Amino acid sequence: MNAAPSTPDRLSHLQRLEAESLHIFREMAAECAKPVLLYSIGKDSAVLLHLARKAFYPAPPPFPLMHIDTTWKFRDMYALRDRMAVESGMELIVHTNPEGIARGINPFEHGSAVHTDVWKTQGLRQALDLHGFDAAIGGARRDEEASRAKERVFSFRAAGHRWDPRRQRPELWSLYNARVAAGESLRVFPMSNWTEADVWDYIAAEDIPVVPLYFAAPRPVVERSGTLIMVDDDRMPLNPGEVPRTLMVRFRTLGCYPLSGAVESEATTLDAIIAEMRGSRSSERQGRLIDADQVGSMEKKKTEGYF
Amino acid sequence: MDQLRFITCGSVDDGKSTLIGRLLHDAGAVPDDQIAAMTRDSASLGNAGGGTDFALLVDGLTSEREQGITIDVAYRYFSTPRRKFIVADTPGHEQYTRNMVTGASTADLAIVLVDARKGVLTQTRRHSYLVSLLGLKTVVLAVTKMDLVEWSQSTFERIVSDYRAFAETIGLTTVIAVPVSGVTGDNIVTLGESAPWYRGDSLLSVLESVDVAHETTGAGFHMPVQSVIRPDLDFRGYAGQIVSGAIHPGDAVRISPSGQTSRIARIATFDGDLDRAVAGQSVTLALSDHVDVARGDVISAADRPLEAADQFEATIVWMADAPLLPGRAYDLKIGARTVSARITDIRHEVNVNTLEKLAARTLASNAIGVCHLSLGQDIAFAPYHQDRTLGGFILIDRESLATVGAGMIRFALRRSQNIHRQALTVDRAERAGVKGQKPAVVWFTGLSGAGKSTIANAVEALLTAEGRHTILIDGDNLRHGLSRDLGFTDADRVENIRRAAETARLMTDAGLIVLVSLISPFRADRQMARERMVDGEFFEGFIDTPLAVVEARDVKGLYAKARSGALTNFTGIDSPYEAPTHPDIHIRGDLTSVEDAARQIVEHLRAAGRLRAD
């Protein structure tokens, strides 16, 4: 038996967030027939997985992990994914849209909009239908983007995975309505009330493994439209005369490597990352090229079934 | 560092968006790219005369509004070195009650905005009533636009005194008033020069320091069980979030509603066993005895057990477009338990503007009413004013599965304790036995003119001919007697069906085979009828005759009247018929003769064993 940690009378901010997330996980598991945790390997997924393991301890979480793969993630991400699946003892399902493979979809020739739609939006819908999952757990937070600020913890999806704002259910207290009819499903966001700062503070406090790309290191990058893109493998076509430079960079958010902007940084430790973030004056998703595709971009993707 | 969740009440006209925008901005919570967008847009979209319009920071969802997307409750996050804040903002005017109630349900306190030029208005009282209804005790009264009344001390003091007088009447015990201007920023994050007479703190300082006990370790220990964790045969734990009190290994506990007792063996967490757990924590408890504990039960300190009851008075906020119908069965979720529930009576509706009590037979969307409820089984509970988690519930529509209402338990009616059921010497089995049968209800449902009554009559004739004891309850006949006081609104229809079901239930106690012929268009109502009966005694008989056929027949001329508009709320025409999905008996009224249909139904009852005594 482990040593007994002491319990204060009043919970701290992080303890309150954690307790709320565990409560959400347990409600979801009790009321949904076939849930799945959507694991996308970033820092939010890392925290999400950690919370899931805590919620059902000493049993393993009663659902599998699923990664909707685009084949264009950073190599470091694939390595961590496989390691965490082993460590958690959970089943890992990897889904890759066969149409994406057949058409060789990539962000360079097809653009970020098509790339995201085929691999992620269509891929996710396929995978959920294929396995018959009625609830998909994600690490999205309300502070990430304007249209997420009103997202429910249990977000209702009509048949065909469509997000209909008019059918979202009021959520009072900690009472969640997880009922769905055949063909309908839920997206469940246990970390709705977390902020980017909370995520890093929690990773530090709980010593949660994250992808090394969040820490600054010398990496080969090229600059495109003012954004630093890392050349993670030799599939990246270089423009005539373009030569990758090695800069001390890190990533604030991680997605597909050709679509993730790096920032120059000297932050090589968690403390340094947290200090840098507190001093930072730009939005976290600014480095995500897909959000800026078009006006109301995230809202539109959501109605189409994007996470 | 701790956390404060609050809700802002007021409209854009009160300067709410400007105030929140200013708070976020001055607290350093707004990223540079968003500030740049605000500065850029202030000139073209802003309402600050070309100056920086801070409202643009929170009205970032405007484009969505233009796209016709509803914004109901938006949550925002910011922090200072002293506290983390979660702000629930309800920007729209539409569905305001529903949204404010939702936002307030998780808040620790409310900021109520009052425009210094206008003073305490009807909407101020409405917002404050909703805040108090949801159990908040602390209000920060932000008197805004003080720059437009030249920071007049007397104006501020008059508004504060008006507000305090009202707040006291609705149980808001703590009111902290701050004079502010969102445009100049005075007294929002730091104290300005404009009101030297003001001796209090800035709005942000108040939010940082106000004491709001959201977890009460002093109260008795209570934890609703969310799930039973069984990784192997050696461990059986009960997972839940502690709603109040503290617990240690060895403490005696009682399970509600069963009343069993045990002791805490372990407080198991991923980080190791705890020697103590407190309100707010999510833990897994192992007990020292093998007791029967299921999801939805509540584990309490043995000396602080919860009451259990199945009849309540509660305040209900209705949230669905379709009105609340007394008598209809809904699902009620409280803690981790879901049970069936009926509203037996609407005591009164509350006018949220005047707080007057109004008589009401239904509750429309955004209406608030004090109601009596009857549940399908006992639940453990505490009155809402004592504990939000143990006394707050939601109502779920069984058909749409949507959340249609929220409720707060006021007290148990104790009818289940006061009205002892009379023990009867001769029981229902004996009554049926002497008739050589078992009780049954065949519930004929279908469109008007589908042939329900005709077939029911034929069934009764066949059963009587073979010596069975039957009774036929016909919808039309019911309307002349037992239900003569009812009309054809949805609420009255539900009540009519309830009366028919209760009558049928009494008849089954008498041992009879009961034939009920009622259009009963709504699944939820037929389900309610089914639940009134003993298991295995209810047979849903769907007389399935297509609308085109019954309308062409139109025996009573009612379809013609309904089509012409002379008759409204007519099933199949301007009121829906929800066909049974899994009827026990399914007769195609247009393809089956009355005789065949009757024989089929009698044989169904025979096969189900109802036509013989055991």
Side-chain angles (χ1 to χ4, degrees):
Chain A
M1 195 179 290
N2 296 314
S6 65
T7 305
D9 264 359
R10 193 151 162 172
L11 302 189
S12 71
H13 171 66
L14 280 183
Q15 286 173 317
R16 208 173 157 187
L17 287 178
E18 180 195 81
E20 179 181 63
S21 299
L22 265 51
H23 173 85
I24 293 165
F25 263 115
R26 291 162 171 179
E27 282 302 289
M28 190 275 316
E31 299 213 346
C32 298
K34 198 175 178 191
V36 64
L37 189 150
L38 289 184
Y39 180 71
S40 58
I41 324 169
K43 63 185 191 309
D44 302 303
S45 282
V47 170
L48 192 68
L49 174 57
H50 189 75
L51 293 167
R53 296 173 72 186
K54 282 195 162 192
F56 303 99
Y57 176 86
F63 39 77
L65 299 171
M66 183 162 75
H67 178 221
I68 304 302
D69 193 13
T70 65
T71 73
W72 287 94
K73 301 290 167 188
F74 292 89
R75 286 172 295 164
D76 278 352
M77 293 175 73
Y78 292 115
L80 183 74
R81 178 192 74 186
D82 296 342
R83 182 187 136 198
M84 290 314 295
V86 172
E87 204 169 290
S88 67
M90 294 165 74
E91 182 197 352
L92 171 68
I93 300 167
V94 176
H95 182 84
T96 319
N97 183 352
E99 188 202 336
I101 298 172
R103 290 171 58 192
I105 298 293
N106 66 74
F108 306 109
E109 291 160 34
H110 302 93
S112 69
V114 171
H115 174 82
T116 304
D117 180 62
V118 172
W119 289 117
K120 295 175 84 172
T121 307
Q122 304 302 331
L124 174 62
R125 290 166 55 161
Q126 276 171 2
L128 294 176
D129 291 341
L130 180 67
H131 297 277
F133 293 121
D134 63 342
I137 311 151
R141 311 186 316 264
R142 286 177 179 146
D143 81 321
E144 276 179 72
E145 201 265 345
S147 78
R148 292 228 197 252
K150 63 184 175 180
E151 181 61 285
R152 302 296 196 271
V153 175
F154 282 61
S155 181
F156 177 80
R157 300 298 146 101
H161 305 285
R162 292 191 75 86
W163 179 77
D164 176 355
R166 302 206 173 271
R167 289 191 61 191
Q168 298 306 312
R169 297 160 174 174
E171 283 181 342
L172 293 101
W173 302 292
S174 50
L175 290 173
Y176 302 105
N177 175 356
R179 309 272 289 273
V180 291
E184 299 170 344
S185 60
L186 294 168
R187 304 290 180 270
V188 181
F189 303 115
M191 294 166 63
S192 287
N193 284 323
W194 294 57
T195 65
E196 186 187 13
D198 298 331
V199 168
W200 282 117
D201 287 341
Y202 190 72
I203 286 170
E206 299 277 308
D207 199 16
I208 300 170
V210 292
V211 184
L213 294 158
Y214 287 114
F215 300 97
R219 297 189 170 99
V221 294
V222 294
E223 187 172 332
R224 297 214 172 146
S225 316
T227 304
L228 295 174
I229 301 295
M230 180 174 161
V231 184
D232 194 48
D233 59 39
D234 54 16
R235 288 181 295 173
M236 170 127 180
L238 296 175
N239 295 330
E242 195 176 48
V243 180
R245 289 181 293 157
T246 298
L247 292 179
M248 192 72 174
V249 295
R250 67 177 205 90
F251 293 84
R252 231 176 130 180
T253 65
L254 290 172
C256 294
Y257 81 78
L259 296 173
S260 299
V263 289
E264 288 195 73
S265 167
E266 299 294 323
T268 55
T269 63
L270 272 177
D271 285 348
I273 287 176
I274 292 169
E276 191 182 277
M277 180 197 48
R278 294 207 194 287
S280 161
R281 304 282 310 162
S282 65
S283 310
E284 176 187 7
R285 292 191 75 94
Q286 205 184 23
R288 292 250 186 155
L289 301 184
I290 61 170
D291 291 350
D293 288 345
Q294 50 200 306
V295 179
S297 175
M298 178 69 88
E299 192 76 52
K300 188 163 178 297
K301 281 202 273 290
K302 263 173 71 177
T303 57
E304 289 162 359
Y306 181 74
F307 211 64
Chain B
M1 181 153 49
D2 72 350
Q3 182 191 92
L4 184 82
R5 300 188 183 204
F6 65 90
I7 177 170
T8 53
C9 315
S11 66
V12 179
D13 305 335
D14 302 323
K16 185 171 71 162
S17 298
T18 309
L19 181 86
I20 301 172
R22 180 62 97 155
L23 195 59
L24 297 176
H25 176 266
D26 291 6
V30 184
D32 280 346
D33 45 324
Q34 288 182 27
I35 292 177
M38 168 181 73
T39 313
R40 186 184 66 229
D41 294 344
S42 284
S44 52
L45 303 171
N47 292 311
T52 305
D53 183 354
F54 290 93
L56 291 173
L57 287 177
V58 283
D59 291 341
L61 300 170
T62 317
S63 61
E64 297 173 14
R65 201 173 301 161
E66 284 162 1
Q67 291 166 38
I69 292 169
T70 334
I71 305 154
D72 32 30
V73 188
Y75 295 89
R76 296 170 208 291
Y77 304 82
F78 71 100
S79 60
T80 68
R82 295 181 61 184
R83 258 186 182 162
K84 293 264 188 177
F85 297 95
I86 301 179
V87 191
D89 184 23
T90 51
H93 294 282
E94 212 187 321
Q95 305 279 344
Y96 197 85
T97 296
R98 163 185 147 164
N99 297 335
M100 233 201 84
V101 163
T102 301
S105 74
T106 51
D108 303 315
L109 72 75
I111 299 184
V112 173
L113 280 83
V114 172
D115 184 331
R117 297 169 304 170
K118 295 177 184 159
V120 175
L121 300 175
T122 298
Q123 70 158 15
T124 317
R125 284 189 280 269
R126 177 170 74 223
H127 297 161
S128 303
Y129 166 69
L130 294 175
V131 160
S132 75
L133 182 68
L134 269 289
L136 303 192
K137 301 283 177 221
T138 309
V139 160
V140 176
L141 179 71
V143 181
T144 60
K145 303 194 181 182
M146 283 298 292
D147 53 317
L148 299 181
V149 296
E150 280 133 15
W151 293 92
S152 157
Q153 182 177 4
S154 61
T155 302
F156 175 73
E157 283 173 354
R158 179 177 47 76
I159 291 172
V160 173
S161 128
D162 284 355
Y163 186 79
R164 279 188 199 282
F166 172 71
E168 212 167 282
T169 66
I170 55 169
L172 294 172
T173 51
T174 308
V175 176
I176 304 164
V178 187
V180 298
S181 163
V183 172
T184 67
D186 285 85
N187 299 346
I188 290 183
V189 169
T190 52
L191 291 176
E193 306 286 308
S194 313
W197 47 264
Y198 174 65
R199 306 250 171 252
D201 290 322
S202 72
L203 180 63
L204 185 62
S205 300
V206 169
L207 295 175
E208 279 182 315
S209 58
V210 66
D211 183 40
V212 184
H214 35 68
E215 287 119 16
T216 41
T217 40
F221 169 82
H222 300 292
M223 187 191 89
V225 174
Q226 288 185 273
S227 54
V228 181
I229 308 251
R230 289 212 73 178
D232 52 52
L233 293 174
D234 299 329
F235 184 87
R236 184 181 181 91
Y238 304 103
Q241 186 171 16
I242 301 171
V243 300
S244 62
I247 195 84
H248 311 80
D251 286 357
V253 292
R254 188 183 298 267
I255 317 301
S256 299
S258 72
Q260 300 172 89
T261 56
S262 182
R263 285 183 185 278
I264 301 292
R266 288 174 61 191
I267 305 171
T269 77
F270 189 81
D271 304 307
D273 280 16
L274 304 182
D275 58 6
R276 177 169 183 259
V278 301
Q281 279 182 300
S282 285
V283 294
T284 298
L285 303 177
L287 302 181
S288 56
D289 308 273
H290 184 80
V291 286
D292 188 19
V293 184
R295 171 169 163 84
D297 289 348
V298 182
I299 301 179
S300 304
D303 57 349
R304 305 287 283 273
L306 288 178
E307 257 187 281
D310 65 353
Q311 312 246 347
F312 298 97
E313 180 163 305
T315 307
I316 291 180
V317 182
W318 196 248
M319 300 182 159
D321 292 337
L324 173 150
L325 297 179
R328 173 166 291 184
Y330 298 97
D331 281 339
L332 178 150
K333 183 175 181 184
I334 181 166
R337 174 139 292 160
T338 304
V339 299
S340 76
R342 281 183 304 116
I343 284 74
T344 52
D345 186 22
I346 299 177
R347 306 294 291 166
H348 60 261
E349 184 179 341
V350 178
N351 177 326
V352 289
N353 292 321
T354 61
L355 308 189
E356 279 175 316
K357 296 175 180 178
L358 311 169
R361 298 190 74 168
T362 65
L363 293 179
S365 181
N366 288 298
I368 296 174
V370 173
C371 304
H372 285 180
L373 286 95
S374 173
L375 311 189
Q377 64 185 84
D378 277 357
I379 55 160
F381 76 100
Y384 183 81
H385 71 87
Q386 280 175 24
D387 191 296
R388 286 211 244 183
T389 308
L390 299 172
F393 60 85
I394 56 171
L395 293 170
I396 298 169
D397 186 271
R398 292 177 161 195
E399 193 59 34
S400 69
L401 306 180
T403 302
V404 290
M408 289 144 279
I409 293 179
R410 291 158 62 94
F411 48 81
L413 294 171
R414 301 188 192 287
R415 290 228 297 263
S416 43
Q417 284 163 35
N418 291 338
I419 302 177
H420 293 284
R421 288 188 188 276
Q422 185 65 45
L424 304 168
T425 338
V426 177
D427 69 13
R428 58 200 311 279
E430 287 179 71
R431 290 191 204 105
V434 299
K435 299 180 177 70
Q437 62 191 37
K438 292 195 205 66
V441 175
V442 182
W443 191 279
F444 292 87
T445 174
L447 294 168
S448 174
K452 298 181 295 297
S453 295
T454 313
I455 294 172
N457 271 303
V459 169
E460 189 167 36
L462 283 180
L463 289 172
T464 308
E466 61 173 88
R468 309 296 164 199
H469 294 238
T470 60
I471 182 78
L472 201 166
I473 300 174
D474 186 272
D476 286 344
N477 295 346
L478 211 57
R479 290 267 176 195
H480 294 295
L482 184 60
S483 293
R484 67 191 303 168
D485 57 323
L486 299 177
F488 287 89
T489 62
D490 283 355
D492 282 356
R493 283 173 177 231
V494 172
E495 175 59 15
N496 187 43
I497 289 165
R498 189 192 70 80
R499 290 181 193 181
E502 290 290 355
T503 308
R505 166 65 205 230
L506 284 173
M507 302 285 187
T508 61
D509 285 347
L512 297 177
I513 294 169
V514 188
L515 310 171
V516 181
S517 169
L518 258 183
I519 297 174
S520 43
F522 299 111
R523 272 179 214 132
D525 301 332
R526 298 192 298 265
Q527 180 62 24
M528 180 262 288
R530 182 186 289 275
E531 286 172 11
R532 298 309 303 154
M533 309 307 160
V534 173
D535 279 352
E537 295 187 359
F538 186 90
F539 300 86
E540 188 175 46
F542 180 26
I543 308 303
D544 184 6
T545 313
L547 180 63
V549 175
V550 293
E551 197 173 350
R553 283 187 202 155
D554 205 5
V555 185
K556 299 174 193 166
L558 297 174
Y559 285 94
K561 275 193 189 171
R563 285 289 182 202
S564 72
L567 198 57
T568 56
N569 275 335
F570 195 75
T571 300
I573 305 299
D574 59 344
S575 182
Y577 179 77
E578 295 170 2
T581 43
H582 301 97
D584 301 287
I585 301 163
H586 190 166
I587 306 282
R588 273 297 295 260
D590 54 335
L591 304 177
T592 318
S593 71
V594 173
E595 296 69 30
D596 283 351
R599 263 193 296 276
Q600 226 175 299
I601 293 165
V602 170
E603 289 319 308
H604 189 95
L605 289 174
R606 198 184 313 281
R610 310 317 293 177
L611 303 186
R612 59 181 158 80
D614 277 332

